[in-house]
Amino acid sequence: MAGPARAGVPLPPGFLWGASPSAPQIEGAVDADGRAASIWDVFASQPGAIADGSTPGTACDHYHRWPADVALMRRAGMRAYRFSVAWPRVQPAGRGAVNGPGLDFYDHLTDALLEAGIRPMPCLYHWDLPQALQDRGGWMNRDIAGWFADYAQVVAARLGDRVGDWFTLNEPSVSAILGHGMTLHAPGLGGGADATLKALHHQNLAQGDALAALRAIGPAFRLGTILSLQPVRPSHPGEEHRAAAERWDALWNRVPLDGVLRGEVPGILAEAMGRWILEGDLERIRFPLDRIGVNYYSRLYVEARPGGLVDAGFGPAPAGPRTDMGWPIEAHGLTETLEDLRDNYGNPDVLITENGIACDDRADGAGRVDDRLRILYLEEHLAAVAQAIQKGCRVGGYLAWSLLDNWEWQEGYRRRFGLVRVDYRTGRRTPKASFDWYRRRIAETPA
Ligand code: IFM
């Protein structure tokens, strides 16, 4: 990796700087004020499901400490905050009755963000399905399209007078593949390709219905979806691995992209997915989005694996630098992803909604962390964004993952992605060196 330049690669005036978290990873307070269990609360309580045996029960206690977190973002000069709304806080049973105090939380947060000059950008779903809906089949049940659209309406009816930027789903392919095809994420179904494709189709459908509902409430809303887009490469030479990478690319990247942007299913999966698609579904799924949220961390490496999902599975990446998650550091893959959107999907408006690195951060006695590797990683990825913009890609902003260290799903608390260190024992927040760097970096760009 290149060393950090004194001033970073310039980004255009008005470039939107900010950060992203998700509700289940920071809020904690899982029993507070009428919130019901999510599939992640239930999944995490199963022995062996989470590497450090933890649950998201407390996380960063953001539910109680959010004023301090907004103050940190203001201090950094951030202008946008993509947070997620916890469905089980708003509708504990997933449908029907609305929990007033749950909605109040997001209402107060929205006001505080606006007051701090930070644009609120809620995402309606970041994997924390109400367990009550899982008990009815969750994403395996086609009725979820209506449940999700109703929930979207409830949230937009409350916040839509102040919030103009909305996202529907976060990384549907990740939750479909890791949680439905495999057992790594909640709800841990392990149902193979069938369950993956069914979940993906129902997520696409639910998103289509929710987008229509949001548009009816707010004709001027800027509506988007958030996708984990990762160029897929074969781990090994040979035609079988190349073909496996092509199938995985269809599953991971193309099903969500082609669904919403083209009303299509990738040809390679058309037969397998056709089982779940009814007449009129693709028209419901296609929607003229105002922006795509791109989450990027690395390329994906895949090998042929008979019996795996689409007869493929995760394979080794080439030798080179890795993050603490074991992911290869490959900033150029971000430029490549943005060029793919430019060339194959009509060059949509893009917001980088997640990018960041888990590092083996070491705190000194005062809790300070000199996280130079994080600064290098972020600067290198910002340079990749700048390069894409020079090549004509339309990227309007960058949200770092993440403001705070947080609960990293099946890894628990042992992976740290934050610009701010969280002491999980006391809840204390201590900005890392990367926080100060980010503040200076933001200040370099004319607002
Ligand atoms: O923490 C996750 C986030 O919830 C979704 N995108 C990837 C991040 C890092 O693994």
Side-chain angles (χ1 to χ4, degrees):
M1 302 213 318
R6 196 153 291 170
V9 180
L11 285 149
F15 194 73
L16 203 57
W17 293 94
S20 278
S22 82
Q25 292 176 272
I26 62 167
E27 285 182 1
V30 292
D31 299 322
D33 299 333
R35 181 193 180 279
S38 83
I39 54 174
W40 272 97
D41 300 321
V42 173
F43 182 74
S45 67
Q46 293 162 15
I50 309 298
D52 62 4
S54 65
T55 73
T58 309
C60 307
D61 196 24
H62 171 76
Y63 188 76
H64 297 111
R65 295 171 183 261
W66 60 269
D69 297 335
V70 173
L72 279 166
M73 286 189 277
R74 175 183 231 160
R75 186 167 137 199
M78 295 186 192
R79 291 294 161 92
Y81 183 53
R82 187 274 289 204
F83 57 97
S84 81
V85 176
W87 191 347
R89 237 183 242 303
V90 172
Q91 280 183 302
R95 25 177 233 151
V98 174
N99 178 37
L103 262 184
D104 290 347
F105 172 70
Y106 299 105
D107 199 295
H108 298 150
L109 178 64
T110 296
D111 284 344
L113 289 166
L114 290 169
E115 219 271 309
I118 300 167
R119 207 196 285 188
M121 298 184 141
C123 172
L124 291 164
Y125 184 72
H126 198 123
W127 307 348
D128 48 353
L129 190 75
Q131 180 61 35
L133 293 187
Q134 187 60 41
D135 296 341
R136 295 176 175 269
W139 291 106
M140 296 291 97
N141 184 339
R142 208 181 141 83
D143 291 346
I144 200 164
W147 303 334
F148 186 61
D150 289 347
Y151 156 66
Q153 251 167 343
V154 166
V155 181
R158 179 70 176 267
L159 304 183
D161 57 337
R162 286 151 291 154
V163 169
D165 300 276
W166 293 88
F167 290 104
T168 49
L169 305 174
N170 180 78
E171 301 183 0
S173 56
V174 176
S175 87
I177 293 172
L178 301 190
H180 295 76
M182 303 175 177
T183 54
L184 293 172
H185 275 197
L189 289 193
D194 276 357
T196 303
L197 293 172
K198 196 171 179 181
L200 274 170
H201 181 59
H202 291 162
Q203 285 177 324
N204 275 347
L205 204 57
Q207 170 171 268
D209 287 1
L211 286 166
L214 290 168
R215 179 57 80 227
I217 293 179
F221 283 169
R222 289 166 297 276
L223 301 177
T225 190
I226 297 175
L227 304 177
S228 170
L229 297 179
Q230 301 187 255
V232 182
R233 294 270 189 281
S235 289
H236 318 285
E239 173 53 24
E240 53 170 333
H241 300 296
R242 190 209 57 76
E246 197 182 331
R247 291 193 297 277
W248 200 270
D249 174 57
L251 189 68
W252 188 277
N253 296 314
R254 309 294 156 191
V255 171
L257 269 176
D258 293 5
V260 67
L261 295 180
R262 298 177 173 163
E264 290 174 8
V265 174
I268 211 168
L269 295 175
E271 196 184 325
M273 209 154 167
R275 295 175 57 193
W276 319 115
I277 304 180
L278 304 186
E279 199 170 334
D281 280 5
L282 295 178
E283 290 73 30
R284 267 166 76 184
I285 288 171
R286 184 177 189 178
F287 192 87
L289 291 176
D290 300 299
R291 64 158 68 91
I292 302 278
V294 171
N295 293 357
Y296 177 83
Y297 292 87
S298 69
R299 295 193 182 94
L300 269 183
Y301 291 85
V302 160
E303 59 193 11
R305 193 171 304 155
L309 294 188
V310 296
D311 287 330
F314 296 120
R322 297 269 193 280
T323 75
D324 213 32
M325 296 288 282
W327 299 340
I329 299 179
E330 299 179 314
H332 188 255
L334 177 53
T335 312
E336 210 177 303
T337 297
L338 296 168
E339 288 180 299
D340 176 45
L341 291 172
R342 179 196 64 194
D343 297 342
N344 298 312
Y345 295 94
N347 205 9
D349 269 334
V350 168
L351 181 66
I352 307 299
T353 34
E354 284 186 26
N355 176 241
I357 177 171
C359 296
D360 182 16
D361 291 335
R362 300 291 160 108
D364 65 18
R368 266 304 282 183
V369 176
D370 187 9
D371 54 343
R372 289 171 204 197
L373 179 59
R374 180 166 291 108
I375 296 172
L376 283 166
Y377 177 99
L378 296 175
E379 189 56 63
E380 203 171 68
H381 285 74
L382 286 168
V385 170
Q387 201 183 19
I389 293 174
Q390 272 158 21
K391 292 174 163 186
C393 301
R394 297 170 5 126
V395 187
Y398 177 93
L399 310 183
W401 183 275
S402 190
L403 177 70
L404 304 175
D405 288 339
N406 57 60
W407 192 73
E408 176 59 25
W409 311 112
Q410 77 274 32
E411 299 287 343
Y413 294 105
R414 63 185 197 155
R415 304 286 179 237
R416 291 182 178 268
F417 276 91
L419 302 171
V420 174
R421 180 176 175 84
V422 175
D423 179 330
Y424 294 114
R425 222 172 19 87
T426 61
R428 181 165 168 228
R429 277 85 164 127
T430 310
K432 304 178 191 175
S434 58
F435 177 88
D436 297 325
W437 163 82
Y438 200 50
R439 182 175 46 73
R440 290 194 303 273
R441 192 68 177 84
I442 292 172
E444 284 166 18
T445 312

